[in-house]
């Protein structure tokens, strides 16, 4: 195969792998009942005028499966952190005891579990769309090469390779979704 086709296939693989990595990151933000520091990954605190990730202004720990504790690096940040968690609207009600912020992770109701499963399906569908868009871009690039004089056989086999990559990455997305749904629905 030509160098151009190899480059297209390599960049296609990389882009599809990025879609999977993004999906895995999004799945971390969908909580499945157990407390985890990743649940607070979307919380940003106003730290002296700039939006700063919560993990950079407080120590986040999980003493048990239903509790998250936050110990701010600066005492005066307690109210600011508490407010940021409320603003983030992630379904937690922080309690401030003067030293720590304690978050009790409520058990998931059946309805909330179904909502989270829908959210996971939506994220998986977005990842599939990303993979398909990468496939479309790769096939467009291959067609351009064919018009520029690259062998038709090379281009056909490259398109088949792109389709095989697409199928394998979509299968991976389906597996990740099945695992996440099982984790969410497990009581």
């Amino acid at each position: 195969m030509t160098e151009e086709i190899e480059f297209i296939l390599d960049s296609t693989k990389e882009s599809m792998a990025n879609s999977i990595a993004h999906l895995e990151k999004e799945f971390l933000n969908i909580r499945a009942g157990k407390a985890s520091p990743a649940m607070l990954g979307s919380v940003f605190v106003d730290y002296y005028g700039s939006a700063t990730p919560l993990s950079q202004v407080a120590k986040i720990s999980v003493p048990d499966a239903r509790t998250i504790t936050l110990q701010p690096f600066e005492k005066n940040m307690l109210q600011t952190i508490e407010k940021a968690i409320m603003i983030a609207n992630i379904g937690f009600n922080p309690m401030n005891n003067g030293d720590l912020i304690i978050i009790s992770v409520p058990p998931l109701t059946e309805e909330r579990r179904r909502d989270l499963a829908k959210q996971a399906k939506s994220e998986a569908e977005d990842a599939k769309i990303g993979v398909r868009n990468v496939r479309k871009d790769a096939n467009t690039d291959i067609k351009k090469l064919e018009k520029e004089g690259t062998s038709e056989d090379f281009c056909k086999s490259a398109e088949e390779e792109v389709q095989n990559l697409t199928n394998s990455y979509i299968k991976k997305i389906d597996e990740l979704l099945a695992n996440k749904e099982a984790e969410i629905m497990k009581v």
Side-chain angles (χ1 to χ4, degrees):
M1 268 193 236
T2 66
E3 247 178 63
E4 292 97 346
I5 290 177
E6 288 294 326
F7 177 75
I8 290 170
L9 292 175
D10 288 345
S11 64
T12 300
K13 239 182 249 176
E14 188 179 325
S15 297
M16 289 181 178
N18 287 343
S19 290
I20 297 282
H22 179 74
L23 177 66
E24 289 171 336
K25 188 174 167 223
E26 289 301 315
F27 276 177
L28 284 177
N29 292 332
I30 299 174
R31 71 186 186 96
K34 267 187 354 207
S36 157
M39 294 176 171
L40 301 172
S42 61
V43 179
F44 284 84
V45 179
D46 179 30
Y47 185 66
Y48 298 110
S50 67
T52 308
L54 182 59
S55 59
Q56 293 181 12
V57 295
K59 178 180 171 233
I60 304 171
S61 55
V62 182
D64 60 59
R66 294 264 176 244
T67 312
I68 300 173
T69 59
L70 304 165
Q71 184 166 18
F73 299 133
E74 298 176 30
K75 271 264 203 284
N76 63 343
M77 292 299 293
L78 277 168
Q79 275 77 29
T80 313
I81 292 172
E82 201 173 6
K83 196 165 120 184
I85 293 169
M86 297 298 275
I87 291 170
N89 196 19
I90 48 178
F92 293 141
N93 192 13
M95 294 175 289
N96 177 347
N97 72 2
D99 289 327
L100 298 171
I101 293 175
I102 302 165
I103 299 172
S104 292
V105 178
L108 295 173
T109 62
E110 185 64 32
E111 183 181 337
R112 182 70 180 135
R113 287 179 193 279
R114 278 197 289 273
D115 289 345
L116 290 173
K118 279 183 194 167
Q119 186 182 347
K121 268 189 185 129
S122 167
E123 293 295 343
E125 195 51 46
D126 288 347
K128 285 181 183 179
I129 289 169
V131 167
R132 290 182 190 123
N133 285 339
V134 171
R135 175 187 62 190
K136 187 182 84 174
D137 293 344
N139 285 338
T140 303
D141 292 344
I142 291 169
K143 293 260 189 268
K144 278 183 195 165
L145 286 178
E146 192 174 352
K147 283 182 180 146
E148 292 170 5
T150 303
S151 159
E152 194 176 317
D153 291 340
F154 280 152
C155 292
K156 278 284 178 241
S157 64
E159 284 177 3
E160 287 172 15
E161 180 65 25
V162 168
Q163 186 57 48
N164 291 341
L165 282 172
T166 303
N167 293 344
S168 72
Y169 278 97
I170 290 205
K171 186 177 176 208
K172 250 186 228 175
I173 290 170
D174 289 336
E175 289 168 5
L176 287 171
L177 175 62
N179 292 342
K180 189 62 179 182
E181 282 180 328
E183 182 185 327
I184 290 170
M185 298 314 270
K186 189 172 81 182
V187 179

